[in-house]
Amino acid sequence: MNVGILTGGGDCPGLNAVIRAVVKRGHQFGYEFTGIKEGWRGLLQSNTIKLSKQTVSGLLPMGGTILGTSRTNPLKDPKDAETLFKNIEALKLDAIIAIGGDDTLGVAAKLHAKGIKVVGVPKTIDNDLFGTDFTFGFDTAVSIVTWALDRLHSTTEAHQRVMVVEVMGRHAGWIAVYGGIAGGADVILIPEKPFDVDEVCAVIKKRKEEGKNFSLVVAAEGAYPKEAGGMITKDKSLDSFGHAKLGGIGEFLATEIEKRTSLESRFVVLGHLQRGGTPTAYDRILATRYGIGAIELVHAGNFGRMVALQGNRIVDISLAEATAKLKTVDAEMYRIAHIFFG
Ligand code: F6P
């Protein structure tokens, strides 16, 4: 059995740990592995490398992905789709393990519907894949946000400022909510709840009246004020899955807060710091469990499935179900975050 592995979409701490687990467990079944470079693009270009037990040794703590990644949608152009099917045959891939978020796994679901033997592994620091409690990479991102908020607290308090911290989270504010709770944010803004800038300013002014001379606001990059009517984007360009490049909510808010409250404000964009570097112990373990779950699905001939964490058990759900909708922030979690606003 020759199993192809690819990593697609934004990179995420733990990708290499999944690859390692897949190959090490698959080696016990006597399988061969073809690493597909740069996500679905590698299949369009037949850009592959052989993976063995030896090549994946030492990958557990490594950030990034040894396979590289891209946001290529191979089904956008029918000619590409044709090339993809031809190359899967030419490369003699008996099965493919796709490690990715809703875009990468959305492609996997469509390929499965056309007869390709695919298994998915849920990856995204945004934690917005449906059907799994957690995606690997999320815990690392939350730890980095918490680390940043701890440091920003002391400088913000020393200068009696307002600090707006822009974190990742395109359509779902999981990182903002978890990071904000762990780092003691005074306001948390998420894409699921368009906000009113004056209400945010009122919380900050009330804090000041109550003797707190500083405030920390955490905003997911996809959060937006009702008055703007939509997310703040860097430019008009879209990627091959139709996503805009987000960014700017931190600067927008810091400017508005300073204007409306006369309190000195600054902003910090944590950006790709949240995705880089070594995974936390939690993410290494989750990634390892996912990798083993995925190759065992292949071994069982159980295709069109995605491994998922439900409670503390690794289960599998259909790729079609997992990619049909996004998992947005849980109302109970947001209620807890909200208790600490102000
Ligand atoms: O992978 C998800 C994500 O990290 C989003 O939170 C963010 O909007 C996007 O990727 C950034 O993508 P890029 O690395 O292409 O700038």
Side-chain angles (χ1 to χ4, degrees):
M1 170 90 91
N2 176 20
V3 182
I5 311 176
L6 64 85
T7 54
D11 75 327
C12 182
L15 284 166
N16 285 321
V18 178
I19 297 168
R20 168 183 175 267
V22 166
V23 174
K24 288 211 170 186
R25 180 69 177 123
H27 180 79
Q28 295 171 347
F29 298 136
Y31 292 173
E32 282 175 34
F33 289 93
T34 300
I36 300 159
K37 300 292 298 272
E38 297 160 14
W40 295 116
R41 184 159 72 207
L43 269 187
L44 296 179
Q45 301 172 341
S46 281
N47 184 6
T48 62
I49 49 164
K50 282 288 164 201
L51 294 175
S52 66
K53 202 178 159 194
Q54 285 71 32
T55 50
V56 300
S57 176
L59 289 189
L60 182 63
M62 265 177 65
T65 160
I66 55 158
L67 295 175
T69 186
S70 71
R71 294 191 188 278
T72 305
N73 181 355
L75 302 180
K76 200 174 168 198
D77 178 338
K79 275 200 200 121
D80 281 349
E82 217 176 286
T83 310
L84 183 91
F85 286 105
K86 272 193 200 146
N87 288 348
I88 291 174
E89 235 183 275
L91 290 164
K92 296 189 172 28
L93 299 177
D94 299 306
I96 297 173
I97 294 180
I99 311 169
D102 59 323
D103 294 331
T104 304
L105 298 186
V107 171
K110 287 183 187 137
L111 291 182
H112 177 253
K114 292 191 184 301
I116 304 293
K117 293 176 174 169
V118 196
V119 162
V121 177
K123 166 250 53 158
T124 164
I125 64 162
D126 288 2
N127 197 39
D128 59 359
L129 253 168
F130 183 75
T132 187
D133 292 349
F134 292 104
T135 50
F136 68 89
F138 172 67
D139 184 69
T140 307
V142 169
S143 305
I144 292 165
V145 172
T146 308
W147 169 90
L149 289 178
D150 287 349
R151 273 145 192 83
L152 290 167
H153 248 109
S154 60
T155 173
T156 307
E157 183 167 15
H159 286 264
Q160 309 100 53
R161 285 174 171 155
V162 177
M163 184 67 70
V164 182
V165 187
E166 181 179 314
V167 302
M168 280 189 172
R170 193 191 284 272
H171 301 293
W174 289 101
I175 296 176
V177 169
Y178 272 64
I181 291 174
D186 305 306
V187 178
I188 300 171
L189 304 170
I190 60 175
E192 293 90 331
K193 296 199 175 289
F195 60 90
D196 185 325
V197 180
D198 285 329
E199 278 173 21
V200 174
C201 291
V203 172
I204 292 166
K205 281 197 262 181
K206 187 160 175 280
R207 267 176 66 79
K208 193 167 166 60
E209 281 157 25
E210 289 172 356
K212 284 286 187 186
N213 274 336
F214 72 99
S215 291
L216 258 94
V217 177
V218 172
E221 62 183 349
Y224 60 94
K226 288 177 193 154
E227 62 196 65
M231 291 177 188
I232 299 181
T233 53
K234 281 211 188 308
D235 52 50
K236 298 221 176 312
S237 64
L238 300 178
D239 69 17
S240 84
F241 287 96
H243 302 303
K245 215 181 280 169
L246 297 183
I249 183 63
E251 182 171 11
F252 167 86
L253 259 180
T255 309
E256 285 305 311
I257 290 170
E258 186 162 304
K259 216 190 288 171
R260 298 184 198 198
T261 63
S262 302
L263 296 170
E264 196 184 12
S265 303
R266 295 283 191 272
F267 69 96
V268 170
V269 181
L270 292 183
H272 294 83
L273 267 178
Q274 296 159 93
R275 284 207 330 231
T278 190
T280 58
Y282 179 90
D283 277 337
R284 293 179 199 194
I285 294 166
L286 184 59
T288 299
R289 293 177 78 194
Y290 278 159
I292 287 168
I295 192 66
E296 289 185 348
L297 281 176
V298 170
H299 194 56
N302 207 351
F303 297 106
R305 314 290 294 171
M306 179 188 87
V307 286
L309 181 75
Q310 292 182 358
N312 196 28
R313 285 174 51 79
I314 300 294
V315 298
D316 57 275
I317 64 166
S318 94
L319 275 168
E321 188 192 348
T323 54
K325 59 177 177 185
L326 283 178
K327 183 187 70 185
T328 49
V329 166
D330 177 53
E332 172 57 11
M333 214 56 211
Y334 188 74
R335 186 185 74 82
I336 288 170
H338 199 272
I339 288 170
F340 297 92
F341 284 16

